[in-house]
Amino acid sequence: MKAVSLNDSRLLWGIMIYGLIAACWNPAHSSAISAEATNIFMGRQVLTGEFCPLCDHYAGSVQIYPVLSALGDKVGGLMGARAIGAVFVLGLAAVLYLTGYVLFSVKHGLLSALLFLFNGTALYLSRTATGDIVAAFLLGLSFLLLVVSEKQQSTSRCGLLLFTGAVSLFFSAVTKYTVALFIVPLVIYVFWKHKFWKALLFFFLPLSIFLSAYVYFAVLPGWNSLMEILFNPYGGEFLPAGELGSRIFRWLGMPYLLAVFGLFHEERKGIAFLFIALSAPLVVFHIISGDVRALDRDVIYSIVFLVPAMALGVDHMGSLFSLYISSTWVKPFFTVAVLIVLWVFGIHEFMWLQTQHPDLTRVMSFLNQRGFDGMTVAIDADKSDADYLYRYSLEKSHPFSRFIQISDDSAKDRERVLRREKPDFVVFDETIDETKTSIRTLPRNLDADFSLVEKFYIPFSVGVQNIKIFRRR
Amino acid sequence: LLIFIYNFLKGEEVVSMADFSNKRVERTVRIIAIIAILVTLYYLYWRIVYTFNPNALFFSWALYGAEVFGAVTTFLFYFSVWKPTTRTAPPPLPDRSVDVFIPTKNESTNVLRKTLLACNDLKYPHRTIVLDDGNRPEVKALCGELHCVYLSREKHANAKAGNINFGLAYSTAEFVAIFDADHVPLPHFIDRIIGYFRDEKVGFVQVPQEFYNIDSFQHRVDRKHKFIWGEQHLFFSLIQPGRDYWNAGYFVGSCAMLRKKALKDIEGIATGSITEDMLTSIRLHAKGWSSVYHNENLAYGIAAETLSPFHIQRQRWGVGNWQVFVRANPFFMRGLSLPQRLCYLSSMIYPLEGVQKIIFYVTPPIALFTGILPMRALDVNYLVHFIPYFAISTFGFNQMARGFGGQIRLEQFSMGKYFTYLKTLVIPFLPKKSKEFKVTPKGEEGSKRVPVTLIMPQAIIFLGSIAAIIWALVQLLLNMRNDSFIVAVNSFWALYNSGLALAIIQFDYKKLFQRRWAFRIPDAVPALYRPMGPDDKHRLLAVADDITEEGLSLIAIGQVPVGGELKIDLLLPTVTLDLDCQVVQERSIMAEDYPVSHLGLRFHEASQDMKNTLSRYLSESAVSKFMREYRIGSKTYVEKRLISERHYNERAYRALAYLPVVISAETGRNAYAVMKDVSKGGILLASRALFQQGSEINMDVILGRQKLPLTGIVMRNFTQENEDYPEYLLGIQIAQSSLEKLSYLLGVADKIGAFILG
């Protein structure tokens, strides 16, 4: 095994401390987003035995993250739930360090960890209570186990590592279905790197059995709702390949650019190519399907594979920019310069991502003060699960209040619901940008029943959130 | 495509053969070039139609112009090297008269002495004529001492061209060979090329100008892998053979032989340009004379040591090119073929590279400071077009460069030259004095200048780029701009330019602070040494690993303090030189159980005869020996795929360390030798005597006062091509009984090798 010097381990600790600070800096940076609220509610339901596999938002997926999220929330509220993301991001950084270390060297391991923590998406997910980072961690861990298994002389140890790799990959895929895209390339990888019988016995067969059982027992019963989730609710979010390519480029342009530099690394270019190939299924899937949903978070799965290739790329860039200069300080100078550029780039991307959801703190504060426990709030929002967000944000002060989602109803139904439920407040919550103008408002017949009590214009990354609150007269 | 990419990524470095005769390879390379041309044309079309920034049209046109210029020069390069020739020297023409001209102006007599000694040793009957434009008595005295003809003129009109024409008027020979004062020919120079003149149409024969001071500004050396990259290798190893095919090879002013009848036909060496050689070539070709380029190193010169002489040389070439362009424009000159016109055109427009490069250097800082881009957007669409174009055109260039490209190193030198070339665009409009011929300072003369002002253009690029990066990053952090991807990509580009600039600055400063300016020629000569005091009478065997006329360095087991006096018997192949030396530098390490010293020695009171003997050995044997050990090109991807031969990397690990060896064969013959490398199964010896293949030999590897006896069998033997200084390379397989000792020796050699190579 390669020796790790004290300086190397200090550097690794330094990188981890940086990651910890970056992840935990101002955890209450904004109000909860709907995905966070949904996760916490789902976790609570599972913990209290209200598991509902056929509900829309379950669709058979294993509730690893929601449970963790709910536990975190129980301990520290929203900040506690968000801290779970920080733990997994740091864990994934360590996994990537080990991958770089096992495949290349300590230097490349350190660069892998650092580049991952410099990545805007990774930083964003470390501060957000969503399940993507858990799936990414399990995917990274699975790949690490497969890589380590290649180095083993003993069949039993190799088999054990392959088996655990299969288990990790299975749990990753059932945590986020997107990860399933990487199963075929990883199976090919294992068959390529190992003897056929080993790959078959220790990896392919266990993985197939787990997946088949899971599909049979969990997915098929929830098939219809799964299909509905996959194909219905965001009809407007399917884009032509060109436009989608630009969106993907926004998040993966830099990682791929660095990985391409890795292709020219003097010694390891072949492996860089392999990593680029392994990262590709996500991009291909999004381009072919035109599905833009969760793209900014899904890219983390490609980044898991791209980071070691990026480390090679950055190392090569350091060599390239300092080529044929014999002084010992020149290559470190250029490598550090490249890293500084990437750090600023990552911070800038992170700032955009963190403000891609409007901060509703002022809205919640208003409802908190002007509302009352037991009130009924009807919500007409762009997002169909906005009621979870309002409920989660106000549950501490108004635990007995009701939150009704009316966004998906037709105009007639909306009026009927409003007359039937007699809400105390009606909230219109919508995004205005260059392409969208305000369309959500009260049915005319109800103008006399409600009065506008507050308007909020909350700027964020992609536009302005226009929120109007009406109160029953 | 995937197999291609896989093989490309898997590629290994192997030794280049510089042979253009493989039809499969050449055909494939040309197909790749055609694809690269088509892709480039499409990219340029797409750029002009879709990518111009309407808000920054000037900026857009400037960058586009730079790209178009790059494409045009690349296409002309492809044309020039479409079918490079591989010639075999014909048998020499007997009984012809040859005059050897050495034009000189201000070169030192030390430099000139080496050249004259080597010229005197040319085997073909000839006369050596020194044309001294400096009218120096010491040169006249040197010519008297070395029995050369000395000529000087009263008026020095038309610089070097005028000087040679003065010599031509005096000469009665049928052919003249011309060497710059620092170019040292090998003894068989004339014999190798005079045979080409059997063809009565041949006006001149040119051979490469190779330089032996590989630590010069224009060389980059990898001593461990025995690889040299020279800034002019592409020209002399590929472009000249390529132009030879089109009958457009150049006379480059030195290392050439010309038919006097042809020169008379054009009224002598052309005047009217400070690049008289190019103008002469054009006129000879226009008059219907043909040229031959013989691609074999037959003479070695001194390359520009630092940026300063390099700048003077390139400025002269640049200005000279414009003079030729104006006065003998190849497009309007009658008698030239179209390929000749294109080849000359490609040589003349290269100073415009200065404009192209400055655009490439300032584009990233402008984008970083202002946020303005010379294209509509730096988005996925742009990269989807740019990256394939860049990859394919780079791949195409590397294949067409047949392993002599070294694109990044070429870029580094473009950074070193860009301001010089920009100046050449202005100088034609300045008073006459600035356009005069300036001799490139060589040797010590070239090393004395401190070119602080010369590195200012590179320093400005470096500092400007770094400042622009800092500015843009701070703006991003403060959320004052949103173009993070543009900032990052331009920062990388600016960093790349900074690296190029820093390389030029750093290399030049390294040369300025180098202790010893004279290049010591690497060699491996056994030497007996003993301290000069009365106490120690023992002589020990060591190895001299580099030598000049003024000193040498010695790898010895044992320690000798700085300032100590040594008596050395340098065991050259045919003569032993008895030298008194002083230790001026000492470095030492422990290699297993042995203290190894690397000593820098200075001769004192060496007689001129002894220096002459040493100089002749160095010029006529050592230089070509060590240059043969280094490779100057890499195999291209296409060569690797299509030519199957043993890969360099497949060889067993070899420790490169010189240790003295005494060989004794069964026949009773003894010989000194030097161990050049050692592996776990055998050793390579440079021996003073030839031992037949299959013969068993006993060797004593000398480690100071101790000997390590080994037994082995000669598996291969090679004769170094020099009958005056015979030396034989012997590949020895070590007998089973000695393998344990060999393993120990490998450990010692490994440490010494690492120590010597630094």
PDB file of all heavy atoms in Angstrom, chain B residues 196-215:
ATOM      1  N   TYR B 196      26.135  14.361 -54.872  1.00  0.00           N
ATOM      2  CA  TYR B 196      24.881  14.907 -55.421  1.00  0.00           C
ATOM      3  C   TYR B 196      25.130  15.798 -56.638  1.00  0.00           C
ATOM      4  O   TYR B 196      24.239  16.010 -57.445  1.00  0.00           O
ATOM      5  CB  TYR B 196      24.147  15.726 -54.355  1.00  0.00           C
ATOM      6  CG  TYR B 196      23.507  14.889 -53.262  1.00  0.00           C
ATOM      7  CD1 TYR B 196      23.993  14.933 -51.961  1.00  0.00           C
ATOM      8  CD2 TYR B 196      22.426  14.062 -53.533  1.00  0.00           C
ATOM      9  CE1 TYR B 196      23.416  14.185 -50.954  1.00  0.00           C
ATOM     10  CE2 TYR B 196      21.841  13.300 -52.530  1.00  0.00           C
ATOM     11  CZ  TYR B 196      22.335  13.367 -51.236  1.00  0.00           C
ATOM     12  OH  TYR B 196      21.760  12.625 -50.254  1.00  0.00           O
ATOM     13  N   PHE B 197      26.366  16.328 -56.719  1.00  0.00           N
ATOM     14  CA  PHE B 197      26.646  17.260 -57.821  1.00  0.00           C
ATOM     15  C   PHE B 197      26.892  16.540 -59.156  1.00  0.00           C
ATOM     16  O   PHE B 197      27.173  17.166 -60.160  1.00  0.00           O
ATOM     17  CB  PHE B 197      27.844  18.148 -57.461  1.00  0.00           C
ATOM     18  CG  PHE B 197      27.507  19.174 -56.406  1.00  0.00           C
ATOM     19  CD1 PHE B 197      27.913  18.999 -55.101  1.00  0.00           C
ATOM     20  CD2 PHE B 197      26.776  20.305 -56.724  1.00  0.00           C
ATOM     21  CE1 PHE B 197      27.605  19.933 -54.122  1.00  0.00           C
ATOM     22  CE2 PHE B 197      26.459  21.249 -55.753  1.00  0.00           C
ATOM     23  CZ  PHE B 197      26.871  21.055 -54.447  1.00  0.00           C
ATOM     24  N   ARG B 198      26.799  15.198 -59.134  1.00  0.00           N
ATOM     25  CA  ARG B 198      26.831  14.465 -60.410  1.00  0.00           C
ATOM     26  C   ARG B 198      25.727  14.990 -61.318  1.00  0.00           C
ATOM     27  O   ARG B 198      25.894  15.086 -62.528  1.00  0.00           O
ATOM     28  CB  ARG B 198      26.571  12.984 -60.145  1.00  0.00           C
ATOM     29  CG  ARG B 198      27.819  12.215 -60.026  1.00  0.00           C
ATOM     30  CD  ARG B 198      27.625  10.718 -60.141  1.00  0.00           C
ATOM     31  NE  ARG B 198      28.859  10.113 -59.698  1.00  0.00           N
ATOM     32  CZ  ARG B 198      29.142   9.842 -58.432  1.00  0.00           C
ATOM     33  NH1 ARG B 198      28.258  10.072 -57.494  1.00  0.00           N
ATOM     34  NH2 ARG B 198      30.306   9.343 -58.091  1.00  0.00           N
ATOM     35  N   ASP B 199      24.603  15.296 -60.700  1.00  0.00           N
ATOM     36  CA  ASP B 199      23.513  15.896 -61.456  1.00  0.00           C
ATOM     37  C   ASP B 199      23.898  17.347 -61.711  1.00  0.00           C
ATOM     38  O   ASP B 199      24.032  18.149 -60.780  1.00  0.00           O
ATOM     39  CB  ASP B 199      22.217  15.813 -60.643  1.00  0.00           C
ATOM     40  CG  ASP B 199      21.038  16.433 -61.351  1.00  0.00           C
ATOM     41  OD1 ASP B 199      21.253  17.081 -62.403  1.00  0.00           O
ATOM     42  OD2 ASP B 199      19.905  16.283 -60.854  1.00  0.00           O
ATOM     43  N   GLU B 200      24.086  17.662 -62.978  1.00  0.00           N
ATOM     44  CA  GLU B 200      24.614  18.983 -63.333  1.00  0.00           C
ATOM     45  C   GLU B 200      23.652  20.112 -62.988  1.00  0.00           C
ATOM     46  O   GLU B 200      24.019  21.273 -62.982  1.00  0.00           O
ATOM     47  CB  GLU B 200      24.925  19.048 -64.834  1.00  0.00           C
ATOM     48  CG  GLU B 200      26.094  18.172 -65.258  1.00  0.00           C
ATOM     49  CD  GLU B 200      27.438  18.663 -64.706  1.00  0.00           C
ATOM     50  OE1 GLU B 200      27.574  19.874 -64.483  1.00  0.00           O
ATOM     51  OE2 GLU B 200      28.327  17.823 -64.469  1.00  0.00           O
ATOM     52  N   LYS B 201      22.390  19.744 -62.716  1.00  0.00           N
ATOM     53  CA  LYS B 201      21.415  20.799 -62.395  1.00  0.00           C
ATOM     54  C   LYS B 201      21.461  21.203 -60.931  1.00  0.00           C
ATOM     55  O   LYS B 201      20.849  22.196 -60.539  1.00  0.00           O
ATOM     56  CB  LYS B 201      20.002  20.297 -62.733  1.00  0.00           C
ATOM     57  CG  LYS B 201      19.666  20.414 -64.198  1.00  0.00           C
ATOM     58  CD  LYS B 201      18.196  20.145 -64.376  1.00  0.00           C
ATOM     59  CE  LYS B 201      17.722  20.647 -65.727  1.00  0.00           C
ATOM     60  NZ  LYS B 201      16.286  20.473 -65.863  1.00  0.00           N
ATOM     61  N   VAL B 202      22.134  20.395 -60.125  1.00  0.00           N
ATOM     62  CA  VAL B 202      22.144  20.692 -58.695  1.00  0.00           C
ATOM     63  C   VAL B 202      23.023  21.918 -58.420  1.00  0.00           C
ATOM     64  O   VAL B 202      24.219  21.916 -58.735  1.00  0.00           O
ATOM     65  CB  VAL B 202      22.630  19.475 -57.873  1.00  0.00           C
ATOM     66  CG1 VAL B 202      22.849  19.848 -56.414  1.00  0.00           C
ATOM     67  CG2 VAL B 202      21.623  18.344 -57.977  1.00  0.00           C
ATOM     68  N   GLY B 203      22.410  22.939 -57.868  1.00  0.00           N
ATOM     69  CA  GLY B 203      23.128  24.184 -57.575  1.00  0.00           C
ATOM     70  C   GLY B 203      23.741  24.185 -56.191  1.00  0.00           C
ATOM     71  O   GLY B 203      24.809  24.737 -55.966  1.00  0.00           O
ATOM     72  N   PHE B 204      23.024  23.590 -55.227  1.00  0.00           N
ATOM     73  CA  PHE B 204      23.589  23.533 -53.870  1.00  0.00           C
ATOM     74  C   PHE B 204      23.038  22.344 -53.107  1.00  0.00           C
ATOM     75  O   PHE B 204      21.950  21.839 -53.419  1.00  0.00           O
ATOM     76  CB  PHE B 204      23.345  24.841 -53.102  1.00  0.00           C
ATOM     77  CG  PHE B 204      21.924  25.130 -52.757  1.00  0.00           C
ATOM     78  CD1 PHE B 204      21.365  24.707 -51.549  1.00  0.00           C
ATOM     79  CD2 PHE B 204      21.118  25.859 -53.619  1.00  0.00           C
ATOM     80  CE1 PHE B 204      20.057  24.988 -51.224  1.00  0.00           C
ATOM     81  CE2 PHE B 204      19.801  26.146 -53.312  1.00  0.00           C
ATOM     82  CZ  PHE B 204      19.260  25.712 -52.104  1.00  0.00           C
ATOM     83  N   VAL B 205      23.810  21.923 -52.129  1.00  0.00           N
ATOM     84  CA  VAL B 205      23.386  20.850 -51.229  1.00  0.00           C
ATOM     85  C   VAL B 205      23.461  21.407 -49.816  1.00  0.00           C
ATOM     86  O   VAL B 205      24.485  21.956 -49.406  1.00  0.00           O
ATOM     87  CB  VAL B 205      24.286  19.606 -51.349  1.00  0.00           C
ATOM     88  CG1 VAL B 205      23.812  18.522 -50.385  1.00  0.00           C
ATOM     89  CG2 VAL B 205      24.315  19.088 -52.762  1.00  0.00           C
ATOM     90  N   GLN B 206      22.370  21.284 -49.125  1.00  0.00           N
ATOM     91  CA  GLN B 206      22.308  21.800 -47.743  1.00  0.00           C
ATOM     92  C   GLN B 206      22.201  20.625 -46.777  1.00  0.00           C
ATOM     93  O   GLN B 206      21.525  19.632 -47.085  1.00  0.00           O
ATOM     94  CB  GLN B 206      21.082  22.707 -47.602  1.00  0.00           C
ATOM     95  CG  GLN B 206      20.852  23.287 -46.232  1.00  0.00           C
ATOM     96  CD  GLN B 206      21.910  24.307 -45.834  1.00  0.00           C
ATOM     97  OE1 GLN B 206      22.129  25.277 -46.541  1.00  0.00           O
ATOM     98  NE2 GLN B 206      22.571  24.053 -44.712  1.00  0.00           N
ATOM     99  N   VAL B 207      22.857  20.719 -45.630  1.00  0.00           N
ATOM    100  CA  VAL B 207      22.660  19.711 -44.572  1.00  0.00           C
ATOM    101  C   VAL B 207      22.115  20.438 -43.334  1.00  0.00           C
ATOM    102  O   VAL B 207      22.155  21.661 -43.257  1.00  0.00           O
ATOM    103  CB  VAL B 207      23.962  18.938 -44.230  1.00  0.00           C
ATOM    104  CG1 VAL B 207      24.542  18.272 -45.445  1.00  0.00           C
ATOM    105  CG2 VAL B 207      24.966  19.824 -43.540  1.00  0.00           C
ATOM    106  N   PRO B 208      21.612  19.694 -42.346  1.00  0.00           N
ATOM    107  CA  PRO B 208      21.023  20.376 -41.177  1.00  0.00           C
ATOM    108  C   PRO B 208      22.065  21.182 -40.400  1.00  0.00           C
ATOM    109  O   PRO B 208      23.238  20.826 -40.376  1.00  0.00           O
ATOM    110  CB  PRO B 208      20.511  19.224 -40.304  1.00  0.00           C
ATOM    111  CG  PRO B 208      20.472  18.039 -41.184  1.00  0.00           C
ATOM    112  CD  PRO B 208      21.486  18.239 -42.242  1.00  0.00           C
ATOM    113  N   GLN B 209      21.577  22.250 -39.810  1.00  0.00           N
ATOM    114  CA  GLN B 209      22.409  22.987 -38.847  1.00  0.00           C
ATOM    115  C   GLN B 209      22.061  22.433 -37.478  1.00  0.00           C
ATOM    116  O   GLN B 209      21.022  22.771 -36.925  1.00  0.00           O
ATOM    117  CB  GLN B 209      22.061  24.477 -38.871  1.00  0.00           C
ATOM    118  CG  GLN B 209      22.761  25.253 -39.937  1.00  0.00           C
ATOM    119  CD  GLN B 209      22.548  26.750 -39.774  1.00  0.00           C
ATOM    120  OE1 GLN B 209      21.770  27.195 -38.929  1.00  0.00           O
ATOM    121  NE2 GLN B 209      23.217  27.531 -40.570  1.00  0.00           N
ATOM    122  N   GLU B 210      22.914  21.596 -36.962  1.00  0.00           N
ATOM    123  CA  GLU B 210      22.649  21.047 -35.635  1.00  0.00           C
ATOM    124  C   GLU B 210      23.560  21.756 -34.633  1.00  0.00           C
ATOM    125  O   GLU B 210      24.649  22.201 -34.983  1.00  0.00           O
ATOM    126  CB  GLU B 210      22.897  19.532 -35.641  1.00  0.00           C
ATOM    127  CG  GLU B 210      22.538  18.822 -34.362  1.00  0.00           C
ATOM    128  CD  GLU B 210      21.084  19.030 -33.922  1.00  0.00           C
ATOM    129  OE1 GLU B 210      20.826  20.031 -33.216  1.00  0.00           O
ATOM    130  OE2 GLU B 210      20.229  18.202 -34.266  1.00  0.00           O
ATOM    131  N   PHE B 211      23.068  21.870 -33.420  1.00  0.00           N
ATOM    132  CA  PHE B 211      23.816  22.599 -32.394  1.00  0.00           C
ATOM    133  C   PHE B 211      24.117  21.671 -31.233  1.00  0.00           C
ATOM    134  O   PHE B 211      23.249  20.911 -30.811  1.00  0.00           O
ATOM    135  CB  PHE B 211      23.008  23.803 -31.919  1.00  0.00           C
ATOM    136  CG  PHE B 211      22.610  24.712 -33.042  1.00  0.00           C
ATOM    137  CD1 PHE B 211      21.360  24.617 -33.623  1.00  0.00           C
ATOM    138  CD2 PHE B 211      23.508  25.633 -33.552  1.00  0.00           C
ATOM    139  CE1 PHE B 211      20.996  25.421 -34.686  1.00  0.00           C
ATOM    140  CE2 PHE B 211      23.151  26.452 -34.619  1.00  0.00           C
ATOM    141  CZ  PHE B 211      21.897  26.346 -35.186  1.00  0.00           C
ATOM    142  N   TYR B 212      25.345  21.749 -30.741  1.00  0.00           N
ATOM    143  CA  TYR B 212      25.726  20.794 -29.707  1.00  0.00           C
ATOM    144  C   TYR B 212      25.552  21.341 -28.294  1.00  0.00           C
ATOM    145  O   TYR B 212      25.527  20.585 -27.338  1.00  0.00           O
ATOM    146  CB  TYR B 212      27.164  20.302 -29.909  1.00  0.00           C
ATOM    147  CG  TYR B 212      28.243  21.352 -29.725  1.00  0.00           C
ATOM    148  CD1 TYR B 212      28.714  21.678 -28.456  1.00  0.00           C
ATOM    149  CD2 TYR B 212      28.785  22.019 -30.813  1.00  0.00           C
ATOM    150  CE1 TYR B 212      29.695  22.641 -28.289  1.00  0.00           C
ATOM    151  CE2 TYR B 212      29.759  22.984 -30.662  1.00  0.00           C
ATOM    152  CZ  TYR B 212      30.219  23.287 -29.401  1.00  0.00           C
ATOM    153  OH  TYR B 212      31.174  24.247 -29.237  1.00  0.00           O
ATOM    154  N   ASN B 213      25.454  22.669 -28.147  1.00  0.00           N
ATOM    155  CA  ASN B 213      25.298  23.205 -26.785  1.00  0.00           C
ATOM    156  C   ASN B 213      23.820  23.082 -26.375  1.00  0.00           C
ATOM    157  O   ASN B 213      23.046  24.029 -26.435  1.00  0.00           O
ATOM    158  CB  ASN B 213      25.782  24.650 -26.692  1.00  0.00           C
ATOM    159  CG  ASN B 213      25.118  25.568 -27.689  1.00  0.00           C
ATOM    160  OD1 ASN B 213      24.738  25.140 -28.779  1.00  0.00           O
ATOM    161  ND2 ASN B 213      24.958  26.818 -27.321  1.00  0.00           N
ATOM    162  N   ILE B 214      23.473  21.902 -25.954  1.00  0.00           N
ATOM    163  CA  ILE B 214      22.054  21.598 -25.729  1.00  0.00           C
ATOM    164  C   ILE B 214      21.506  22.247 -24.457  1.00  0.00           C
ATOM    165  O   ILE B 214      20.342  22.041 -24.124  1.00  0.00           O
ATOM    166  CB  ILE B 214      21.802  20.076 -25.711  1.00  0.00           C
ATOM    167  CG1 ILE B 214      22.689  19.410 -24.661  1.00  0.00           C
ATOM    168  CG2 ILE B 214      22.009  19.471 -27.082  1.00  0.00           C
ATOM    169  CD1 ILE B 214      22.379  17.956 -24.429  1.00  0.00           C
ATOM    170  N   ASP B 215      22.335  23.008 -23.749  1.00  0.00           N
ATOM    171  CA  ASP B 215      21.793  23.778 -22.622  1.00  0.00           C
ATOM    172  C   ASP B 215      21.457  25.203 -23.062  1.00  0.00           C
ATOM    173  O   ASP B 215      21.245  26.078 -22.235  1.00  0.00           O
ATOM    174  CB  ASP B 215      22.783  23.801 -21.449  1.00  0.00           C
ATOM    175  CG  ASP B 215      24.061  24.544 -21.796  1.00  0.00           C
ATOM    176  OD1 ASP B 215      24.327  24.735 -23.000  1.00  0.00           O
ATOM    177  OD2 ASP B 215      24.801  24.932 -20.873  1.00  0.00           O
TER     178      ASP B 215
END
